[in-house]
């Protein structure tokens, strides 16, 4: 009975703020079902806002967006993952831009495209310090030197990813300078400009020099900040609000314990509300006894161990709450996702993407 309300107007307003801050076009990151918000609806709303580039985790996410009609050509979709050889034909079939992280992938892509008499658009990934995907600048240079021998490959961009753009500014600048030097050398030697992108949400806020030709906002689009640094803020609004219904009310006496392991005991007579949401909906068990919910604009503490399908809330000794009332677990009318995630010992990215498939998404 939990429901995730998705306010696409907030998403579009956030996109405008980010674009104004960065001063360059956006590649909207809509991987992981748009951070739990619903990739199809999110992509359509951002496309209507004039965004023409989208980033996803893998070819499967890309195909879903392309075939469902949300992102028809010419909207560009870049898959961030390094492809398996067997996946390359799908990039060609659906017009998906491919990340190239090694010479073998470049050669395999050329062979597939040549056989089809077509062209595959690629973005070269340079590893400047993330240590996840991509080639070192020296190795990436070798790949670029192979490009003239790959007539069916179109280089559409060069990019890197920052490892710690919200906290370690010195390391981020080191990555930034390595990327700038690499792309500058290539553009000078080749006599051509190439689309360069590096800045994620953290770098959009912390490193004005990292914007290059395009930025890749993710968490910021959805109304959350990548860190709690008060200086790295933008007036973005939450796009998701998770609510659930009060399904049961009871009055307990002093000494009554609530939920598994009896971790909470009533100090006196209390009214306890049971709410139909639990860790199977994405409301982390680690929040037990640490969270609050909002019912009818009043904040109440969650008590006892969070269970798979329900949580319990202490309403005090008097309450106007009734069965069927809506409880806001987090969102624009309640605790923000960043704060709730912090109490759970995690980050807003994980909290949002943990909202499970059984939680109904409703666009409002």
């Amino acid at each position: 009975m939990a429901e995730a309300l998705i306010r696409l107007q907030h998403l579009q307003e956030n996109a405008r703020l980010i674009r104004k801050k960065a001063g360059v076009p956006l590649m909207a990151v809509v991987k992981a079902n748009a951070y739990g918000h619903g990739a199809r609806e999110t992509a359509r709303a951002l496309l209507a806002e004039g965004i023409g580039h989208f980033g996803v985790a893998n070819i499967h996410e890309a195909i879903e967006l392309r075939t469902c009609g949300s992102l028809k050509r010419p909207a560009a979709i870049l898959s961030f993952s390094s492809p398996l050889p067997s996946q390359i034909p799908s990039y060609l079939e659906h017009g998906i831009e491919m990340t190239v992280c090694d010479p073998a992938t470049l050669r395999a892509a050329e062979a597939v495209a040549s056989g089809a008499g077509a062209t595959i658009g690629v973005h070269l990934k340079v590893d400047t310090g993330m240590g996840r995907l991509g080639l070192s600048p020296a190795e990436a240079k070798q790949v670029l030197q192979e490009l003239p021998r790959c007539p069916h490959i179109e280089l559409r961009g060069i990019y890197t990813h920052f490892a710690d753009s919200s906290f370690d500014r010195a390391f981020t600048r080191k990555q930034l300078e390595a990327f700038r030097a690499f792309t500058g050398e290539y553009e000078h030697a080749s006599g051509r400009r190439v689309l360069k992108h590096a800045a994620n949400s953290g770098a959009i806020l912390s490193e004005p020099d990292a914007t290059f030709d395009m930025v890749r906002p993710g968490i910021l689009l959805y109304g959350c900040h990548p860190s709690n640094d008060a200086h790295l803020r933008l007036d973005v609004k939450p796009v998701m609000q998770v609510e659930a219904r009060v399904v049961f009310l009871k009055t307990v006496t002093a000494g009554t314990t609530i939920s598994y392991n009896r971790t909470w005991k009533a100090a006196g007579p209390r009214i306890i509300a049971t709410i139909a949401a639990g860790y199977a909906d994405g409301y982390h068990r680690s929040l037990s006894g640490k969270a609050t919910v909002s019912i009818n604009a009043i904040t109440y503490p969650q008590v006892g161990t969070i269970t798979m399908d329900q949580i319990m809330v202490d309403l005090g000794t008097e309450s106007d709450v009734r069965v069927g009332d809506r409880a806001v677990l987090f969102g624009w009318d309640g605790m923000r996702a960043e704060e709730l995630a912090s109490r759970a010992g995690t980050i807003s990215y994980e909290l949002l993407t943990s909202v499970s498939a059984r939680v109904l998404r409703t666009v409002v």
Side-chain angles (χ1 to χ4, degrees):
M1 294 178 68
E3 184 177 14
L5 307 181
I6 308 299
R7 187 158 285 175
L8 295 178
Q9 180 183 343
H10 285 183
L11 177 75
Q12 292 172 320
E13 290 172 0
N14 293 344
R16 288 177 214 137
L17 279 174
I18 297 166
R19 188 159 46 199
K20 182 178 180 180
K21 171 75 174 175
V24 295
L26 310 185
M27 175 184 287
V29 180
V30 293
K31 63 180 181 176
N33 197 29
Y35 289 45
H37 292 69
R40 295 182 181 189
E41 296 77 13
T42 296
R44 288 191 193 104
L46 292 170
L47 190 65
E49 192 57 34
I51 293 174
H53 292 80
F54 296 82
V56 297
N58 54 52
I59 186 60
H60 305 292
E61 291 183 344
I63 291 172
E64 180 183 356
L65 283 174
R66 192 68 99 196
T67 57
C68 76
S70 294
L71 292 178
K72 294 181 179 179
R73 305 184 201 195
I77 307 174
L78 171 64
S79 171
F80 295 138
S81 178
S82 182
L84 298 173
S86 61
Q87 296 171 333
I88 293 175
S90 294
Y91 285 82
L92 193 62
E93 178 184 355
H94 298 284
I96 308 302
E97 295 181 345
M98 178 190 301
T99 290
V100 169
C101 293
D102 60 272
T105 298
L106 180 70
R107 296 172 197 138
E110 169 62 24
V112 170
S114 175
T119 299
I120 294 180
V122 305
H123 291 237
L124 177 66
K125 179 74 175 285
V126 184
D127 182 11
T128 57
M130 179 65 183
R132 186 172 58 181
L133 290 175
L135 295 158
S136 70
E139 293 168 325
K141 183 177 180 179
Q142 295 176 358
V143 170
L144 289 174
Q145 290 172 346
E146 283 199 35
L147 273 177
R149 299 191 292 275
C150 300
H152 298 87
I153 299 298
E154 180 184 351
L155 180 65
R156 294 185 181 168
I158 301 176
Y159 75 110
T160 194
H161 192 63
F162 295 123
D164 203 2
S165 56
S166 297
F167 300 99
D168 193 335
R169 304 282 292 280
F171 189 77
T172 299
R173 291 192 183 102
K174 182 178 179 180
Q175 286 191 262
L176 177 58
E177 290 310 313
F179 184 68
R180 181 181 286 114
F182 174 81
T183 54
E185 181 181 350
Y186 171 71
E187 289 183 330
H188 177 74
S190 65
R192 59 164 291 193
R193 281 185 57 82
V194 64
L195 179 72
K196 304 174 290 296
H197 49 105
N200 53 7
S201 291
I204 290 168
L205 297 174
S206 67
E207 295 295 338
D209 292 340
T211 53
F212 290 99
D213 304 309
M214 185 166 63
V215 295
R216 303 190 305 270
I219 198 68
L220 205 56
L221 272 175
Y222 305 105
C224 296
H225 292 85
S227 83
N228 293 323
D229 189 331
H231 300 291
L232 303 180
R233 313 297 285 181
L234 201 60
D235 192 22
V236 291
K237 300 175 182 177
V239 178
M240 178 190 291
Q241 177 157 293
V242 176
E243 301 179 350
R245 299 281 187 168
V246 175
V247 293
F248 190 68
L249 294 167
K250 63 182 175 184
T251 299
V252 301
T253 58
T256 302
T257 57
I258 298 295
S259 196
Y260 292 120
N261 309 122
R262 305 176 67 231
T263 57
W264 184 86
K265 181 185 293 186
R270 314 295 288 182
I271 302 171
I272 302 297
T274 299
I275 297 169
Y279 59 77
D281 302 291
Y283 200 72
H284 293 236
R285 191 173 183 271
S286 58
L287 286 165
S288 298
K290 302 174 185 176
T292 61
V293 303
S294 179
I295 307 174
N296 302 329
I298 300 174
T299 299
Y300 299 100
Q302 183 277 323
V303 295
T305 301
I306 290 169
T307 68
M308 185 179 290
D309 309 302
Q310 287 99 27
I311 62 173
M312 278 62 75
V313 170
D314 178 8
L315 302 180
T317 56
E318 296 182 6
S319 174
D320 293 328
V321 172
R322 297 290 181 263
V323 169
D325 285 352
R326 290 179 177 268
V328 178
L329 306 186
F330 66 86
W332 51 83
D333 289 329
M335 187 182 295
R336 291 189 70 132
E338 296 107 310
E339 172 62 20
L340 192 64
S342 178
R343 295 189 186 193
T346 184
I347 55 177
S348 57
Y349 304 73
E350 184 178 26
L351 183 72
L352 293 172
T353 57
S354 294
V355 176
S356 68
R358 79 175 186 180
V359 177
L360 177 69
R361 270 72 169 173
T362 302
V363 174
V364 296

